Amino acid sequence: MDYNDLIFEISQPGRIASSLPESDVASIDLTAKFPAHLVRKAPAELPEVSEPQLMRHYTALSNKNFGVDNGFYPLGSCTMKYNPKINEDVARLAGFAKIHPFQPAETVQGAFELMYELQEDLKVISGMDAISLQPAAGAQGEWTGLIMMKAYHQKNGDGETRTKILVPDSAHGTNPSSAFIAGFDVIEIPSNKEGTVDLEELKKQVGPDTAGLMLTNPNTLGIFEKDILAMSEIVHEAGGLLYYDGANLNAIMGKVTPGAMGFDIVHLNLHKSFSTPHGGGGPGSGPVGVKAFLEPYLPIPRIERKGEQFGLAENYPLSIGRVKGYFGNFGVNVRAYTYIRTMGPVGLRQVAESAVLHANYLRKRLEPYFDVSHKQFCKHEFVLSGLRQKKLGVRTMDMAKRLLDFGYYAPTVYFPLIVEEAMMIEPTETETKETLDAFADTLIQIAKEVEETPEVVLEAPHQTFVKRMDEVQAARKLILTYKKE
C-alpha cells in the first residue's frame, strides 16, 4: 500500500474505522424537516478504510506538511513564530478545553477571568484603553475597527462626508480590502525614497472627507515610520482617526506601543505576535483595542469584572454589536495568555530585540549577493530584490522554488508590490545563529547557481514529492474534487 495515494484510492468497500453502539433514537423522515432538494438521494461517497489505514494515511500527510516544528519558516509579512508546547498543555486543561459557551457564568469563572486578564495585558502592550477579544482573525479585526470608525464619525454627524481611508502603497493587502468591504473609498499614499510614508503626499490627500489612516509600524518593508507622530498630527487635525495594523507588533513589543504613536484603534494578531498556531486557514484571533473615546463602540458582549465575579455585559447602546459567535476563538486566547504570562514584560521586550537583531544579521550577510530594497537598518523583516538575477534570466519565483530543495519554506515573494522581484524575509526571534547562517549560505549558493548553472534553478524544485507545476494551468484549471472512476 502506498500512502502517497489519496484516501479514496486506499478505500475498499465494507471497511470501517469505528465501532458505534446501535442508535436508540427513532429515525425521522428528513423530507418532513427539510426541503426535498436538500435531502441526499444516495449515501455520501466517503472513503472506507480501517483505523490503522486511517491513522497511517493522516500521519503520512502530516509528515509531508511543513511547519515551525520541523523547519525554518522565514515568511515575511506574516510572523510565523515557534509555538511553545506549554501553550498547548494549558489550552488542554479540562477547565478550558471541556467547557461550553452556553454554560452559566458562575460555572466558567476561570475562563472569564483568563479572558479579562488577557484584555488587561493587551491594553498595556498596545497602549489602548479597552480591548475586545471577539474578532476571529486579523482581517476581521481590521473590519471591526473600521466599522467602529464609521460609527464614530456617524455619531459626530459627518459619517456621510468622511468616506476615505488613506492606505500607504506598502500596506498589507488586507488593509485596502477591509476598507473597501467596510464601505470606504481607498486612497493610496505613495512611499518616499526611504521607504516610508511621503508626508507631503499625505498632507495633499488629508481633508474633511478623511475617515482615517491605516498603517503598520514598522511597515511592510521592515522600516520604522520615524515620522509617525507627524502623521498622527496631520490626520487628527483633519478630524480623522489612526488605525494600527498589528501584524508587525513583534518588532516593537516592550519598546513602544501603538498608543504612544498616536493610534486610536489597533488590531493584534494573537496568532502572529503571541505564538499561537498559525496557518491552514485558522483559527486565529484578532482582538481590537481602542482609546477611551471609542470604547462605547466596541463589540458586545463585553467581558467585565464585577467585584470578585466575571461576566458578560451588553448594555452598550453605541456598540457595533456582535462580530463573532460566542466570545472569540477561546483556545487561541488561552495559548496567547500563556505565552504572555510565561514571557513577562522583560521577555516580550527581548523578543522584539532578538527579532530585530536576527533580521539585520541576515540582511547584512545577503546584501553582497542580492539587491536590497532599502539600505537602512530594518526591524523584524527585510526585503531583497531579485533584479540582479532577473537580468540573468532567473526570477525570484525560480529561486524560491530552488529553496524547497534544501528543506526550507520559501519567503514571501513579489510582495510588497513596490519592490520589483521582491523576496521578503522574517527570521523571528527563536532561531539560532547556526540556522540563520545555514539559510544565508543556501541563498548565497542559489545566487551563485544563477550565475554559473542557471538551469538548475530554472528547473527547480528537484527533490520535492511534486516537481515544478504549470502555475498558469493550476490557477485556471482547478481540480477541487475527487471522483472515483
Side-chain angles (χ1 to χ4, degrees), residues 26 251 283 409 442:
Y409 196 96
T442 300

Side-chain angles (χ1 to χ4, degrees), residues 76-78 167-175 191 195-197 214-225 245 247-248 373-374 378-384 412 414-419 422-426:
S77 175
C78 209
V167 181
D169 59 5
S170 63
H172 291 119
T174 52
N175 291 175
S191 299
T196 55
V197 171
M214 295 187 79
L215 189 74
T216 187
N217 196 19
N219 63 27
T220 308
L221 295 167
I223 299 170
F224 192 84
E225 296 277 358
D245 178 340
N248 295 343
S373 64
H374 296 83
C378 63
K379 292 301 179 183
H380 63 303
E381 65 189 3
F382 61 98
V383 181
L384 299 178
T412 302
Y414 300 114
F415 183 81
L417 301 177
I418 60 175
V419 177
M423 182 186 297
M424 182 192 284
I425 299 172
E426 180 180 359

Side-chain angles (χ1 to χ4, degrees), residues 35-301:
H37 72 279
L38 296 179
V39 178
R40 189 183 294 278
K41 302 296 189 296
E45 294 183 32
L46 300 176
E48 299 176 74
V49 295
S50 67
E51 182 175 329
Q53 286 180 305
L54 184 68
M55 293 304 299
R56 290 167 188 165
H57 172 74
Y58 282 105
T59 299
L61 286 181
S62 71
N63 289 335
K64 293 189 182 94
N65 197 23
F66 192 97
V68 291
D69 283 355
N70 59 5
F72 181 41
Y73 215 128
L75 194 67
S77 175
C78 209
T79 308
M80 304 294 278
K81 291 168 66 134
Y82 174 72
N83 306 149
K85 297 304 168 265
I86 188 175
N87 298 358
E88 303 302 316
D89 292 340
V90 174
R92 284 168 171 76
L93 292 175
F96 296 140
K98 296 185 178 181
I99 57 175
H100 194 280
F102 288 157
Q103 284 184 228
E106 61 269 19
T107 69
V108 288
Q109 284 296 296
F112 280 147
E113 182 175 1
L114 182 145
M115 289 192 283
Y116 179 84
E117 291 187 357
L118 177 58
Q119 290 176 172
E120 294 300 298
D121 290 345
L122 295 177
K123 282 163 58 175
V124 174
I125 292 169
S126 65
M128 295 290 117
D129 297 315
I131 295 283
S132 170
L133 301 176
Q134 265 196 46
Q140 191 183 30
E142 289 180 21
W143 177 84
T144 300
L146 289 163
I147 293 300
M148 286 192 289
M149 187 183 293
K150 176 174 282 191
Y152 168 78
H153 288 311
Q154 288 174 340
K155 180 68 168 58
N156 290 340
D158 53 4
E160 299 302 316
T161 56
R162 295 194 178 274
T163 59
K164 294 181 180 179
I165 293 291
L166 311 179
V167 181
D169 59 5
S170 63
H172 291 119
T174 52
N175 291 175
S177 300
S178 296
F180 179 79
I181 292 174
F184 290 103
D185 297 323
V186 179
I187 305 299
E188 185 179 280
I189 306 298
S191 299
N192 57 30
K193 62 181 181 181
E194 294 178 347
T196 55
V197 171
D198 189 315
L199 286 184
E200 294 306 313
E201 289 296 327
L202 178 63
K203 291 176 184 177
K204 291 178 184 177
Q205 295 295 343
V206 166
D209 57 359
T210 299
L213 169 70
M214 295 187 79
L215 189 74
T216 187
N217 196 19
N219 63 27
T220 308
L221 295 167
I223 299 170
F224 192 84
E225 296 277 358
K226 59 182 176 57
D227 295 322
I228 183 59
L229 294 180
M231 283 187 266
S232 173
E233 185 176 349
I234 292 168
V235 175
H236 282 145
E237 282 188 354
L241 302 181
L242 261 70
Y243 181 94
Y244 184 82
D245 178 340
N248 295 343
L249 186 75
N250 208 49
I252 63 168
M253 289 193 297
K255 308 293 285 189
V256 67
T257 68
M261 296 182 210
F263 288 93
D264 305 296
I265 308 172
V266 58
H267 90 261
L268 304 173
N269 301 81
L270 301 193
H271 51 290
K272 290 185 181 184
S273 302
F274 301 103
S275 80
T276 72
H278 185 181
S285 183
V288 290
V290 294
K291 290 294 183 67
F293 71 95
L294 292 169
E295 184 174 356
Y297 302 95
L298 281 173
I300 54 174

Side-chain angles (χ1 to χ4, degrees), residues 246-419:
N248 295 343
L249 186 75
N250 208 49
I252 63 168
M253 289 193 297
K255 308 293 285 189
V256 67
T257 68
M261 296 182 210
F263 288 93
D264 305 296
I265 308 172
V266 58
H267 90 261
L268 304 173
N269 301 81
L270 301 193
H271 51 290
K272 290 185 181 184
S273 302
F274 301 103
S275 80
T276 72
H278 185 181
S285 183
V288 290
V290 294
K291 290 294 183 67
F293 71 95
L294 292 169
E295 184 174 356
Y297 302 95
L298 281 173
I300 54 174
R302 302 266 299 276
I303 300 166
E304 295 183 343
R305 184 172 194 162
K306 300 174 182 178
E308 295 301 314
Q309 294 292 305
F310 300 86
L312 299 173
E314 299 195 27
N315 188 26
Y316 289 94
L318 294 180
S319 169
I320 63 170
R322 184 188 288 273
V323 299
K324 170 74 171 63
Y326 306 122
F327 321 116
N329 282 326
F330 178 65
V332 177
N333 293 334
V334 172
R335 290 168 172 85
Y337 175 84
T338 304
Y339 178 75
I340 291 170
R341 289 308 175 102
T342 301
M343 300 299 291
V346 174
L348 292 179
R349 183 183 180 96
Q350 185 179 348
V351 163
E353 292 173 348
S354 296
V356 171
L357 175 64
H358 292 179
N360 280 283
Y361 176 73
L362 261 185
R363 181 181 63 87
K364 290 300 289 185
R365 279 218 58 196
L366 294 171
E367 266 188 0
Y369 304 93
F370 298 88
D371 294 327
V372 178
S373 64
H374 296 83
K375 295 290 186 181
Q376 65 263 51
F377 283 112
C378 63
K379 292 301 179 183
H380 63 303
E381 65 189 3
F382 61 98
V383 181
L384 299 178
S385 170
L387 270 178
R388 189 184 313 180
Q389 288 74 25
K390 184 180 180 181
K391 292 174 182 177
L392 298 175
V394 178
R395 300 194 64 200
T396 291
M397 182 64 77
D398 301 315
M399 293 186 284
K401 291 181 182 296
R402 179 62 174 142
L403 266 172
L404 304 181
D405 284 330
F406 297 91
Y408 291 110
Y409 196 96
T412 302
V413 296
Y414 300 114
F415 183 81
L417 301 177
I418 60 175
V419 177

